[in-house]
Amino acid sequence: MSVDSGDAKIRVAVIGSGPAGSYAAGHLLRHSATELHVDLFERLPTPWGLVRAGVAPDHPKIKSVTRVYEKTAEHARLRYFGNVEFGRDLTVEDLRAHYNAIIYAVGTPIDRELGIPGETLERSYAATDFVGWYNAHPDFAEHEFDLRGERAVVIGAGNVALDVARMLMLSERELACTDVADHALAVLARSNIREVLVVGRRGPQQAAFTNPELLELAELAEAEVAVSREDIALCDGIEDPGIDAIARRNDKIMHDYAALAGGEKARRIELRFLLSPIEIHGTNAVEAVTFARNELVASDDGSLRARATAERLTIPAHTVFRAIGYRGTPLPGVPFDEARAVIANAGGRVTDEQGARHGEYVVGWAKRGPSGVIGTNKKDAADTVERLLEDLGGGRLLSPAPVSDAALATYIHDRAPHAVDYAGWVRIDRHELALGAASGRPRVKLTTIAELLAIAEREQ
Ligand SMILES: Cc1cc2nc3c(=O)[nH]c(=O)nc-3n(C[C@H](O)[C@H](O)[C@H](O)COP(=O)(O)OP(=O)(O)OC[C@H]3O[C@@H](n4cnc5c(N)ncnc54)[C@H](O)[C@@H]3O)c2cc1C
């Protein structure tokens, strides 16, 4: 008999410690009819997914949501295994042999491509890379961004495009009091970029910005915000039948921006509309972008879509940031829906050609694609956990051979010798906070796996 008498435990492996995985773990632990035991796996030594590695450094309040995730992670029935990657250290067979259920919460880590000539020129950057770099994600620590030119074009009309534009336009003083990666602070402080054009293919009413992100553009210390009057005039009088309260307010804010006189600050962000990039030009590196002028036409379902006219517009630019969305990548041994670029699922149950795969579930962006704010993942995770509990009640979970907590931990450590436990993450957290306190910043992030492990594994 095992010393911890854990043999009969119902065990759930959650893969990914971003908002979706953290909320899913919280919902599982709150379930009272049966005590569930959660092992939370994360490929980085550090938890919290895009809250640490996506949310912009100048949005500290948004990051405070991690207090909720910390409470979950400190629960007696949860074990955190950082620096353990599904597909590299553990396979789906390993997990199916030891857990009653697996929940994938791996997000959608790569950028969507534009699919136009010149996309791979130097100085044409994926927003995913830039965001990871300024947020000290170890995968991007070695990336280099050339910000020596005066104009950058950001392609996309969502909050990530605005984050990129803002990060390029924040002054050194504004950046220096954030947790931006040190390597990014050094480069951004020396940036020559004076103008950022944020370009959407449809009009202001169709932009995916949220109101606060749009409004804060007017609060930048050294950059003013403008909206192209020419572009906005082309959309005036065309009411989107699907317009909601957020889009209506966006439309009003953008008309207010278009009416601003401008010209007082040294830098500017301009929002442009009805333009689709068709080619990025340059010998080796970006020199200009050609756009097709679009018009708005009604689709069969009544929504307004962009249709290219014959008009072309070429805008000189030194850098391009492609911010048209994130996409998922397949996990080894896990069915993938290529069309939607998410893990194949029906309402959170992973599916293959035979239907639902017993004991496998998905939450968050890996389930529904890259849309929605942090809070959206809470209800989304609850829905999937509800399906899991239905399957638990119906006897449809996996039935692995019983294993003790200690034996399972040994099994995981054999496969991932540098796994970081929650105490290891707390050591990293305290270290980063202390570095921050010493320099008047909220936190100074460590940027390489080696540095993170050195602190996590430090003798107490
Ligand atoms: C640039 C950007 C800025 C944003 N800003 C905001 C904001 O200000 N406010 C807001 O409300 N929302 C914001 N969002 C949206 C929010 O971040 C998402 O809704 C949320 O993070 C999605 O949660 P998730 O858990 O599905 O994915 P993620 O947050 O991506 O988490 C996935 C986790 O899984 C891990 N993982 C991946 N593969 C593996 C593997 N094979 N093995 C183990 N672990 C793995 C990853 O390392 C990561 O920790 C932003 C998104 C982006 C991209």
Side-chain angles (χ1 to χ4, degrees), residues 15-20 41-43 49-50 54-55 59 62 84-86 105-107 131 160 163 326 331 364-365 372-374 377:
I15 318 296
S17 67
F41 295 95
E42 166 58 51
R43 65 179 282 262
L50 287 170
V55 172
H59 284 170
I62 291 169
V84 180
E85 182 170 332
F86 177 92
V106 293
V131 166
V160 175
D163 279 354
Y326 283 53
L331 292 176
W365 279 17
V373 292
I374 291 166
N377 301 294

PDB file of all heavy atoms in Angstrom, residues 15-20 41-43 49-50 54-55 59 62 84-86 105-107 131 160 163 326 331 364-365 372-374 377, ligand 1:
ATOM      1  N   ILE A  15      -3.037  21.153 -18.699  1.00  0.00           N
ATOM      2  CA  ILE A  15      -1.823  21.497 -19.450  1.00  0.00           C
ATOM      3  C   ILE A  15      -1.877  22.964 -19.832  1.00  0.00           C
ATOM      4  O   ILE A  15      -2.631  23.356 -20.721  1.00  0.00           O
ATOM      5  CB  ILE A  15      -1.693  20.659 -20.746  1.00  0.00           C
ATOM      6  CG1 ILE A  15      -2.058  19.195 -20.506  1.00  0.00           C
ATOM      7  CG2 ILE A  15      -0.305  20.811 -21.357  1.00  0.00           C
ATOM      8  CD1 ILE A  15      -1.152  18.479 -19.555  1.00  0.00           C
ATOM      9  N   GLY A  16      -1.083  23.778 -19.168  1.00  0.00           N
ATOM     10  CA  GLY A  16      -1.071  25.212 -19.438  1.00  0.00           C
ATOM     11  C   GLY A  16      -1.625  25.970 -18.245  1.00  0.00           C
ATOM     12  O   GLY A  16      -2.711  25.654 -17.760  1.00  0.00           O
ATOM     13  N   SER A  17      -0.863  26.987 -17.765  1.00  0.00           N
ATOM     14  CA  SER A  17      -1.256  27.692 -16.533  1.00  0.00           C
ATOM     15  C   SER A  17      -1.674  29.128 -16.802  1.00  0.00           C
ATOM     16  O   SER A  17      -1.553  29.990 -15.945  1.00  0.00           O
ATOM     17  CB  SER A  17      -0.085  27.681 -15.554  1.00  0.00           C
ATOM     18  OG  SER A  17       0.958  28.484 -16.090  1.00  0.00           O
ATOM     19  N   GLY A  18      -2.155  29.408 -18.036  1.00  0.00           N
ATOM     20  CA  GLY A  18      -2.711  30.735 -18.326  1.00  0.00           C
ATOM     21  C   GLY A  18      -4.076  30.870 -17.669  1.00  0.00           C
ATOM     22  O   GLY A  18      -4.476  30.027 -16.848  1.00  0.00           O
ATOM     23  N   PRO A  19      -4.809  31.925 -18.024  1.00  0.00           N
ATOM     24  CA  PRO A  19      -6.134  32.121 -17.421  1.00  0.00           C
ATOM     25  C   PRO A  19      -7.034  30.891 -17.566  1.00  0.00           C
ATOM     26  O   PRO A  19      -7.656  30.469 -16.579  1.00  0.00           O
ATOM     27  CB  PRO A  19      -6.694  33.306 -18.214  1.00  0.00           C
ATOM     28  CG  PRO A  19      -5.487  34.067 -18.633  1.00  0.00           C
ATOM     29  CD  PRO A  19      -4.426  33.049 -18.892  1.00  0.00           C
ATOM     30  N   ALA A  20      -7.079  30.296 -18.745  1.00  0.00           N
ATOM     31  CA  ALA A  20      -8.015  29.187 -18.967  1.00  0.00           C
ATOM     32  C   ALA A  20      -7.661  27.990 -18.081  1.00  0.00           C
ATOM     33  O   ALA A  20      -8.544  27.399 -17.432  1.00  0.00           O
ATOM     34  CB  ALA A  20      -8.009  28.784 -20.443  1.00  0.00           C
ATOM     35  N   PHE A  41       0.419  21.535 -15.348  1.00  0.00           N
ATOM     36  CA  PHE A  41       1.697  21.506 -16.073  1.00  0.00           C
ATOM     37  C   PHE A  41       1.866  22.768 -16.903  1.00  0.00           C
ATOM     38  O   PHE A  41       0.917  23.208 -17.559  1.00  0.00           O
ATOM     39  CB  PHE A  41       1.750  20.282 -17.007  1.00  0.00           C
ATOM     40  CG  PHE A  41       1.745  18.981 -16.271  1.00  0.00           C
ATOM     41  CD1 PHE A  41       0.554  18.291 -16.060  1.00  0.00           C
ATOM     42  CD2 PHE A  41       2.917  18.444 -15.763  1.00  0.00           C
ATOM     43  CE1 PHE A  41       0.535  17.100 -15.369  1.00  0.00           C
ATOM     44  CE2 PHE A  41       2.917  17.248 -15.061  1.00  0.00           C
ATOM     45  CZ  PHE A  41       1.720  16.566 -14.866  1.00  0.00           C
ATOM     46  N   GLU A  42       3.066  23.308 -16.902  1.00  0.00           N
ATOM     47  CA  GLU A  42       3.340  24.550 -17.642  1.00  0.00           C
ATOM     48  C   GLU A  42       4.714  24.415 -18.284  1.00  0.00           C
ATOM     49  O   GLU A  42       5.669  24.039 -17.630  1.00  0.00           O
ATOM     50  CB  GLU A  42       3.279  25.737 -16.671  1.00  0.00           C
ATOM     51  CG  GLU A  42       3.856  27.030 -17.195  1.00  0.00           C
ATOM     52  CD  GLU A  42       3.193  27.521 -18.480  1.00  0.00           C
ATOM     53  OE1 GLU A  42       1.958  27.610 -18.537  1.00  0.00           O
ATOM     54  OE2 GLU A  42       3.935  27.810 -19.451  1.00  0.00           O
ATOM     55  N   ARG A  43       4.801  24.753 -19.569  1.00  0.00           N
ATOM     56  CA  ARG A  43       6.081  24.552 -20.260  1.00  0.00           C
ATOM     57  C   ARG A  43       7.161  25.532 -19.800  1.00  0.00           C
ATOM     58  O   ARG A  43       8.354  25.248 -19.883  1.00  0.00           O
ATOM     59  CB  ARG A  43       5.922  24.609 -21.784  1.00  0.00           C
ATOM     60  CG  ARG A  43       5.509  25.932 -22.340  1.00  0.00           C
ATOM     61  CD  ARG A  43       5.416  25.889 -23.865  1.00  0.00           C
ATOM     62  NE  ARG A  43       6.713  25.969 -24.469  1.00  0.00           N
ATOM     63  CZ  ARG A  43       7.250  27.105 -24.944  1.00  0.00           C
ATOM     64  NH1 ARG A  43       6.570  28.224 -24.892  1.00  0.00           N
ATOM     65  NH2 ARG A  43       8.445  27.118 -25.480  1.00  0.00           N
ATOM     66  N   GLY A  49       0.565  32.290 -18.205  1.00  0.00           N
ATOM     67  CA  GLY A  49       0.366  32.472 -19.644  1.00  0.00           C
ATOM     68  C   GLY A  49       0.474  33.920 -20.083  1.00  0.00           C
ATOM     69  O   GLY A  49       1.414  34.634 -19.709  1.00  0.00           O
ATOM     70  N   LEU A  50      -0.512  34.365 -20.862  1.00  0.00           N
ATOM     71  CA  LEU A  50      -0.448  35.703 -21.453  1.00  0.00           C
ATOM     72  C   LEU A  50      -0.666  36.818 -20.432  1.00  0.00           C
ATOM     73  O   LEU A  50      -0.461  37.986 -20.758  1.00  0.00           O
ATOM     74  CB  LEU A  50      -1.485  35.830 -22.579  1.00  0.00           C
ATOM     75  CG  LEU A  50      -1.154  35.081 -23.879  1.00  0.00           C
ATOM     76  CD1 LEU A  50      -2.362  35.077 -24.812  1.00  0.00           C
ATOM     77  CD2 LEU A  50       0.041  35.723 -24.584  1.00  0.00           C
ATOM     78  N   GLY A  54       1.697  38.475 -22.248  1.00  0.00           N
ATOM     79  CA  GLY A  54       0.909  39.113 -23.308  1.00  0.00           C
ATOM     80  C   GLY A  54       0.422  40.493 -22.904  1.00  0.00           C
ATOM     81  O   GLY A  54       0.675  41.481 -23.597  1.00  0.00           O
ATOM     82  N   VAL A  55      -0.246  40.574 -21.761  1.00  0.00           N
ATOM     83  CA  VAL A  55      -0.787  41.857 -21.280  1.00  0.00           C
ATOM     84  C   VAL A  55       0.347  42.889 -21.252  1.00  0.00           C
ATOM     85  O   VAL A  55       1.457  42.601 -20.788  1.00  0.00           O
ATOM     86  CB  VAL A  55      -1.413  41.683 -19.873  1.00  0.00           C
ATOM     87  CG1 VAL A  55      -1.790  43.037 -19.281  1.00  0.00           C
ATOM     88  CG2 VAL A  55      -2.629  40.770 -19.940  1.00  0.00           C
ATOM     89  N   HIS A  59      -0.072  48.006 -18.210  1.00  0.00           N
ATOM     90  CA  HIS A  59      -1.402  47.645 -17.703  1.00  0.00           C
ATOM     91  C   HIS A  59      -1.287  46.803 -16.422  1.00  0.00           C
ATOM     92  O   HIS A  59      -1.745  45.665 -16.378  1.00  0.00           O
ATOM     93  CB  HIS A  59      -2.181  46.861 -18.771  1.00  0.00           C
ATOM     94  CG  HIS A  59      -2.722  47.699 -19.861  1.00  0.00           C
ATOM     95  ND1 HIS A  59      -3.269  47.184 -21.015  1.00  0.00           N
ATOM     96  CD2 HIS A  59      -2.831  49.048 -19.973  1.00  0.00           C
ATOM     97  CE1 HIS A  59      -3.678  48.175 -21.792  1.00  0.00           C
ATOM     98  NE2 HIS A  59      -3.413  49.308 -21.191  1.00  0.00           N
ATOM     99  N   ILE A  62      -4.451  45.075 -14.691  1.00  0.00           N
ATOM    100  CA  ILE A  62      -5.015  43.875 -15.331  1.00  0.00           C
ATOM    101  C   ILE A  62      -4.275  42.630 -14.845  1.00  0.00           C
ATOM    102  O   ILE A  62      -4.867  41.579 -14.625  1.00  0.00           O
ATOM    103  CB  ILE A  62      -4.957  44.024 -16.867  1.00  0.00           C
ATOM    104  CG1 ILE A  62      -5.957  45.107 -17.275  1.00  0.00           C
ATOM    105  CG2 ILE A  62      -5.249  42.717 -17.582  1.00  0.00           C
ATOM    106  CD1 ILE A  62      -5.867  45.561 -18.690  1.00  0.00           C
ATOM    107  N   VAL A  84       7.678  21.960 -17.562  1.00  0.00           N
ATOM    108  CA  VAL A  84       7.336  20.622 -18.057  1.00  0.00           C
ATOM    109  C   VAL A  84       6.456  20.819 -19.289  1.00  0.00           C
ATOM    110  O   VAL A  84       5.361  21.376 -19.188  1.00  0.00           O
ATOM    111  CB  VAL A  84       6.573  19.796 -16.997  1.00  0.00           C
ATOM    112  CG1 VAL A  84       6.236  18.411 -17.562  1.00  0.00           C
ATOM    113  CG2 VAL A  84       7.388  19.669 -15.723  1.00  0.00           C
ATOM    114  N   GLU A  85       6.955  20.373 -20.426  1.00  0.00           N
ATOM    115  CA  GLU A  85       6.226  20.643 -21.670  1.00  0.00           C
ATOM    116  C   GLU A  85       5.531  19.393 -22.167  1.00  0.00           C
ATOM    117  O   GLU A  85       6.178  18.361 -22.368  1.00  0.00           O
ATOM    118  CB  GLU A  85       7.197  21.179 -22.727  1.00  0.00           C
ATOM    119  CG  GLU A  85       6.483  21.531 -24.028  1.00  0.00           C
ATOM    120  CD  GLU A  85       7.384  22.274 -24.995  1.00  0.00           C
ATOM    121  OE1 GLU A  85       8.315  22.972 -24.547  1.00  0.00           O
ATOM    122  OE2 GLU A  85       7.152  22.135 -26.209  1.00  0.00           O
ATOM    123  N   PHE A  86       4.235  19.521 -22.367  1.00  0.00           N
ATOM    124  CA  PHE A  86       3.490  18.443 -22.999  1.00  0.00           C
ATOM    125  C   PHE A  86       4.022  18.293 -24.424  1.00  0.00           C
ATOM    126  O   PHE A  86       4.168  19.267 -25.148  1.00  0.00           O
ATOM    127  CB  PHE A  86       1.990  18.786 -23.039  1.00  0.00           C
ATOM    128  CG  PHE A  86       1.152  17.757 -23.733  1.00  0.00           C
ATOM    129  CD1 PHE A  86       0.566  16.733 -23.008  1.00  0.00           C
ATOM    130  CD2 PHE A  86       0.968  17.793 -25.116  1.00  0.00           C
ATOM    131  CE1 PHE A  86      -0.188  15.767 -23.644  1.00  0.00           C
ATOM    132  CE2 PHE A  86       0.223  16.835 -25.756  1.00  0.00           C
ATOM    133  CZ  PHE A  86      -0.355  15.815 -25.022  1.00  0.00           C
ATOM    134  N   ALA A 105      -5.001  23.471 -22.028  1.00  0.00           N
ATOM    135  CA  ALA A 105      -5.225  24.928 -21.863  1.00  0.00           C
ATOM    136  C   ALA A 105      -4.001  25.646 -22.406  1.00  0.00           C
ATOM    137  O   ALA A 105      -3.428  26.514 -21.755  1.00  0.00           O
ATOM    138  CB  ALA A 105      -5.441  25.243 -20.391  1.00  0.00           C
ATOM    139  N   VAL A 106      -3.587  25.246 -23.618  1.00  0.00           N
ATOM    140  CA  VAL A 106      -2.276  25.656 -24.139  1.00  0.00           C
ATOM    141  C   VAL A 106      -2.292  26.949 -24.952  1.00  0.00           C
ATOM    142  O   VAL A 106      -1.257  27.378 -25.449  1.00  0.00           O
ATOM    143  CB  VAL A 106      -1.653  24.526 -24.994  1.00  0.00           C
ATOM    144  CG1 VAL A 106      -1.298  23.323 -24.123  1.00  0.00           C
ATOM    145  CG2 VAL A 106      -2.610  24.112 -26.116  1.00  0.00           C
ATOM    146  N   GLY A 107      -3.465  27.575 -25.103  1.00  0.00           N
ATOM    147  CA  GLY A 107      -3.514  28.836 -25.837  1.00  0.00           C
ATOM    148  C   GLY A 107      -3.277  28.656 -27.320  1.00  0.00           C
ATOM    149  O   GLY A 107      -3.347  27.536 -27.871  1.00  0.00           O
ATOM    150  N   VAL A 131       5.503  41.165 -28.840  1.00  0.00           N
ATOM    151  CA  VAL A 131       4.840  41.116 -27.530  1.00  0.00           C
ATOM    152  C   VAL A 131       5.626  40.203 -26.573  1.00  0.00           C
ATOM    153  O   VAL A 131       5.882  40.553 -25.423  1.00  0.00           O
ATOM    154  CB  VAL A 131       3.379  40.614 -27.697  1.00  0.00           C
ATOM    155  CG1 VAL A 131       2.777  40.223 -26.356  1.00  0.00           C
ATOM    156  CG2 VAL A 131       2.520  41.669 -28.387  1.00  0.00           C
ATOM    157  N   VAL A 160      -4.421  44.027 -29.717  1.00  0.00           N
ATOM    158  CA  VAL A 160      -2.992  43.718 -29.803  1.00  0.00           C
ATOM    159  C   VAL A 160      -2.299  44.770 -30.676  1.00  0.00           C
ATOM    160  O   VAL A 160      -1.199  45.243 -30.348  1.00  0.00           O
ATOM    161  CB  VAL A 160      -2.749  42.283 -30.338  1.00  0.00           C
ATOM    162  CG1 VAL A 160      -1.262  42.030 -30.522  1.00  0.00           C
ATOM    163  CG2 VAL A 160      -3.342  41.248 -29.375  1.00  0.00           C
ATOM    164  N   ASP A 163      -1.851  47.709 -28.514  1.00  0.00           N
ATOM    165  CA  ASP A 163      -0.752  47.484 -27.549  1.00  0.00           C
ATOM    166  C   ASP A 163       0.591  47.744 -28.222  1.00  0.00           C
ATOM    167  O   ASP A 163       1.473  48.398 -27.658  1.00  0.00           O
ATOM    168  CB  ASP A 163      -0.754  46.034 -27.042  1.00  0.00           C
ATOM    169  CG  ASP A 163      -1.772  45.788 -25.934  1.00  0.00           C
ATOM    170  OD1 ASP A 163      -2.404  46.754 -25.477  1.00  0.00           O
ATOM    171  OD2 ASP A 163      -1.928  44.614 -25.528  1.00  0.00           O
ATOM    172  N   TYR A 326      -3.736  35.618 -33.473  1.00  0.00           N
ATOM    173  CA  TYR A 326      -2.909  34.489 -33.066  1.00  0.00           C
ATOM    174  C   TYR A 326      -3.538  33.222 -33.646  1.00  0.00           C
ATOM    175  O   TYR A 326      -4.711  33.216 -34.027  1.00  0.00           O
ATOM    176  CB  TYR A 326      -2.887  34.397 -31.537  1.00  0.00           C
ATOM    177  CG  TYR A 326      -1.974  35.413 -30.863  1.00  0.00           C
ATOM    178  CD1 TYR A 326      -2.085  36.776 -31.128  1.00  0.00           C
ATOM    179  CD2 TYR A 326      -1.016  35.005 -29.946  1.00  0.00           C
ATOM    180  CE1 TYR A 326      -1.255  37.694 -30.498  1.00  0.00           C
ATOM    181  CE2 TYR A 326      -0.186  35.922 -29.308  1.00  0.00           C
ATOM    182  CZ  TYR A 326      -0.310  37.271 -29.589  1.00  0.00           C
ATOM    183  OH  TYR A 326       0.515  38.174 -28.972  1.00  0.00           O
ATOM    184  N   LEU A 331      -0.760  19.833 -30.989  1.00  0.00           N
ATOM    185  CA  LEU A 331       0.034  19.145 -29.956  1.00  0.00           C
ATOM    186  C   LEU A 331       0.200  17.704 -30.402  1.00  0.00           C
ATOM    187  O   LEU A 331      -0.755  17.113 -30.938  1.00  0.00           O
ATOM    188  CB  LEU A 331      -0.719  19.145 -28.622  1.00  0.00           C
ATOM    189  CG  LEU A 331      -0.919  20.468 -27.893  1.00  0.00           C
ATOM    190  CD1 LEU A 331      -1.769  20.245 -26.643  1.00  0.00           C
ATOM    191  CD2 LEU A 331       0.424  21.082 -27.510  1.00  0.00           C
ATOM    192  N   GLY A 364     -10.271  27.624 -23.086  1.00  0.00           N
ATOM    193  CA  GLY A 364      -9.580  28.868 -23.442  1.00  0.00           C
ATOM    194  C   GLY A 364      -9.372  29.050 -24.930  1.00  0.00           C
ATOM    195  O   GLY A 364     -10.140  28.570 -25.766  1.00  0.00           O
ATOM    196  N   TRP A 365      -8.297  29.749 -25.269  1.00  0.00           N
ATOM    197  CA  TRP A 365      -8.029  30.065 -26.670  1.00  0.00           C
ATOM    198  C   TRP A 365      -7.780  28.791 -27.480  1.00  0.00           C
ATOM    199  O   TRP A 365      -8.086  28.747 -28.664  1.00  0.00           O
ATOM    200  CB  TRP A 365      -6.832  31.029 -26.761  1.00  0.00           C
ATOM    201  CG  TRP A 365      -7.227  32.455 -26.496  1.00  0.00           C
ATOM    202  CD1 TRP A 365      -8.382  32.884 -25.899  1.00  0.00           C
ATOM    203  CD2 TRP A 365      -6.492  33.637 -26.835  1.00  0.00           C
ATOM    204  NE1 TRP A 365      -8.397  34.257 -25.844  1.00  0.00           N
ATOM    205  CE2 TRP A 365      -7.257  34.743 -26.399  1.00  0.00           C
ATOM    206  CE3 TRP A 365      -5.263  33.870 -27.452  1.00  0.00           C
ATOM    207  CZ2 TRP A 365      -6.830  36.066 -26.579  1.00  0.00           C
ATOM    208  CZ3 TRP A 365      -4.837  35.178 -27.621  1.00  0.00           C
ATOM    209  CH2 TRP A 365      -5.606  36.276 -27.193  1.00  0.00           C
ATOM    210  N   GLY A 372     -11.531  37.240 -27.015  1.00  0.00           N
ATOM    211  CA  GLY A 372     -12.066  37.397 -25.660  1.00  0.00           C
ATOM    212  C   GLY A 372     -10.987  37.836 -24.701  1.00  0.00           C
ATOM    213  O   GLY A 372      -9.804  37.576 -24.904  1.00  0.00           O
ATOM    214  N   VAL A 373     -11.442  38.521 -23.667  1.00  0.00           N
ATOM    215  CA  VAL A 373     -10.523  39.028 -22.645  1.00  0.00           C
ATOM    216  C   VAL A 373     -10.293  37.936 -21.597  1.00  0.00           C
ATOM    217  O   VAL A 373     -10.865  36.846 -21.686  1.00  0.00           O
ATOM    218  CB  VAL A 373     -11.076  40.320 -22.003  1.00  0.00           C
ATOM    219  CG1 VAL A 373     -11.067  41.454 -23.004  1.00  0.00           C
ATOM    220  CG2 VAL A 373     -12.464  40.089 -21.437  1.00  0.00           C
ATOM    221  N   ILE A 374      -9.466  38.261 -20.617  1.00  0.00           N
ATOM    222  CA  ILE A 374      -9.093  37.272 -19.593  1.00  0.00           C
ATOM    223  C   ILE A 374     -10.343  36.654 -18.962  1.00  0.00           C
ATOM    224  O   ILE A 374     -10.454  35.430 -18.837  1.00  0.00           O
ATOM    225  CB  ILE A 374      -8.207  37.958 -18.522  1.00  0.00           C
ATOM    226  CG1 ILE A 374      -6.851  38.309 -19.139  1.00  0.00           C
ATOM    227  CG2 ILE A 374      -8.042  37.069 -17.300  1.00  0.00           C
ATOM    228  CD1 ILE A 374      -6.020  39.270 -18.315  1.00  0.00           C
ATOM    229  N   ASN A 377     -12.457  33.633 -20.264  1.00  0.00           N
ATOM    230  CA  ASN A 377     -11.987  32.256 -20.070  1.00  0.00           C
ATOM    231  C   ASN A 377     -12.552  31.594 -18.810  1.00  0.00           C
ATOM    232  O   ASN A 377     -12.453  30.380 -18.653  1.00  0.00           O
ATOM    233  CB  ASN A 377     -10.453  32.241 -20.013  1.00  0.00           C
ATOM    234  CG  ASN A 377      -9.861  32.806 -21.283  1.00  0.00           C
ATOM    235  OD1 ASN A 377     -10.004  32.212 -22.347  1.00  0.00           O
ATOM    236  ND2 ASN A 377      -9.268  33.982 -21.202  1.00  0.00           N
TER     237      ASN A 377
HETATM  238  C1  LIG B   1      -0.835  40.688 -26.628  1.00  0.00           C
HETATM  239  C2  LIG B   1      -2.062  40.368 -25.822  1.00  0.00           C
HETATM  240  C3  LIG B   1      -2.499  41.278 -24.877  1.00  0.00           C
HETATM  241  C4  LIG B   1      -3.650  40.996 -24.138  1.00  0.00           C
HETATM  242  N1  LIG B   1      -4.075  41.909 -23.229  1.00  0.00           N
HETATM  243  C5  LIG B   1      -5.192  41.661 -22.534  1.00  0.00           C
HETATM  244  C6  LIG B   1      -5.648  42.629 -21.578  1.00  0.00           C
HETATM  245  O1  LIG B   1      -5.029  43.688 -21.400  1.00  0.00           O
HETATM  246  N2  LIG B   1      -6.790  42.324 -20.886  1.00  0.00           N
HETATM  247  C7  LIG B   1      -7.474  41.164 -21.072  1.00  0.00           C
HETATM  248  O2  LIG B   1      -8.501  40.919 -20.414  1.00  0.00           O
HETATM  249  N3  LIG B   1      -7.065  40.232 -21.981  1.00  0.00           N
HETATM  250  C8  LIG B   1      -5.944  40.463 -22.698  1.00  0.00           C
HETATM  251  N4  LIG B   1      -5.521  39.546 -23.611  1.00  0.00           N
HETATM  252  C9  LIG B   1      -6.299  38.289 -23.783  1.00  0.00           C
HETATM  253  C10 LIG B   1      -5.904  37.227 -22.732  1.00  0.00           C
HETATM  254  O3  LIG B   1      -4.511  37.244 -22.577  1.00  0.00           O
HETATM  255  C11 LIG B   1      -6.420  35.838 -23.182  1.00  0.00           C
HETATM  256  O4  LIG B   1      -7.840  35.874 -23.157  1.00  0.00           O
HETATM  257  C12 LIG B   1      -5.956  34.695 -22.278  1.00  0.00           C
HETATM  258  O5  LIG B   1      -4.602  34.780 -21.935  1.00  0.00           O
HETATM  259  C13 LIG B   1      -6.188  33.321 -22.940  1.00  0.00           C
HETATM  260  O6  LIG B   1      -5.931  32.356 -21.961  1.00  0.00           O
HETATM  261  P1  LIG B   1      -5.413  30.863 -22.278  1.00  0.00           P
HETATM  262  O7  LIG B   1      -5.166  30.265 -20.935  1.00  0.00           O
HETATM  263  O8  LIG B   1      -6.363  30.196 -23.195  1.00  0.00           O
HETATM  264  O9  LIG B   1      -4.053  31.017 -23.079  1.00  0.00           O
HETATM  265  P2  LIG B   1      -2.610  31.544 -22.619  1.00  0.00           P
HETATM  266  O10 LIG B   1      -2.734  32.738 -21.743  1.00  0.00           O
HETATM  267  O11 LIG B   1      -1.830  31.670 -23.866  1.00  0.00           O
HETATM  268  O12 LIG B   1      -1.997  30.360 -21.737  1.00  0.00           O
HETATM  269  C14 LIG B   1      -1.531  29.164 -22.306  1.00  0.00           C
HETATM  270  C15 LIG B   1      -0.457  28.586 -21.399  1.00  0.00           C
HETATM  271  O13 LIG B   1      -0.151  27.243 -21.833  1.00  0.00           O
HETATM  272  C16 LIG B   1       1.254  27.068 -21.816  1.00  0.00           C
HETATM  273  N5  LIG B   1       1.584  26.004 -22.770  1.00  0.00           N
HETATM  274  C17 LIG B   1       1.529  26.067 -24.111  1.00  0.00           C
HETATM  275  N6  LIG B   1       1.892  24.908 -24.668  1.00  0.00           N
HETATM  276  C18 LIG B   1       2.195  24.067 -23.646  1.00  0.00           C
HETATM  277  C19 LIG B   1       2.656  22.715 -23.589  1.00  0.00           C
HETATM  278  N7  LIG B   1       2.872  22.005 -24.701  1.00  0.00           N
HETATM  279  N8  LIG B   1       2.886  22.169 -22.370  1.00  0.00           N
HETATM  280  C20 LIG B   1       2.676  22.886 -21.230  1.00  0.00           C
HETATM  281  N9  LIG B   1       2.243  24.175 -21.242  1.00  0.00           N
HETATM  282  C21 LIG B   1       2.001  24.761 -22.430  1.00  0.00           C
HETATM  283  C22 LIG B   1       1.800  28.419 -22.203  1.00  0.00           C
HETATM  284  O14 LIG B   1       3.164  28.590 -21.843  1.00  0.00           O
HETATM  285  C23 LIG B   1       0.860  29.354 -21.440  1.00  0.00           C
HETATM  286  O15 LIG B   1       1.322  29.596 -20.134  1.00  0.00           O
HETATM  287  C24 LIG B   1      -4.365  39.788 -24.353  1.00  0.00           C
HETATM  288  C25 LIG B   1      -3.904  38.874 -25.312  1.00  0.00           C
HETATM  289  C26 LIG B   1      -2.757  39.163 -26.031  1.00  0.00           C
HETATM  290  C27 LIG B   1      -2.291  38.188 -27.053  1.00  0.00           C
END
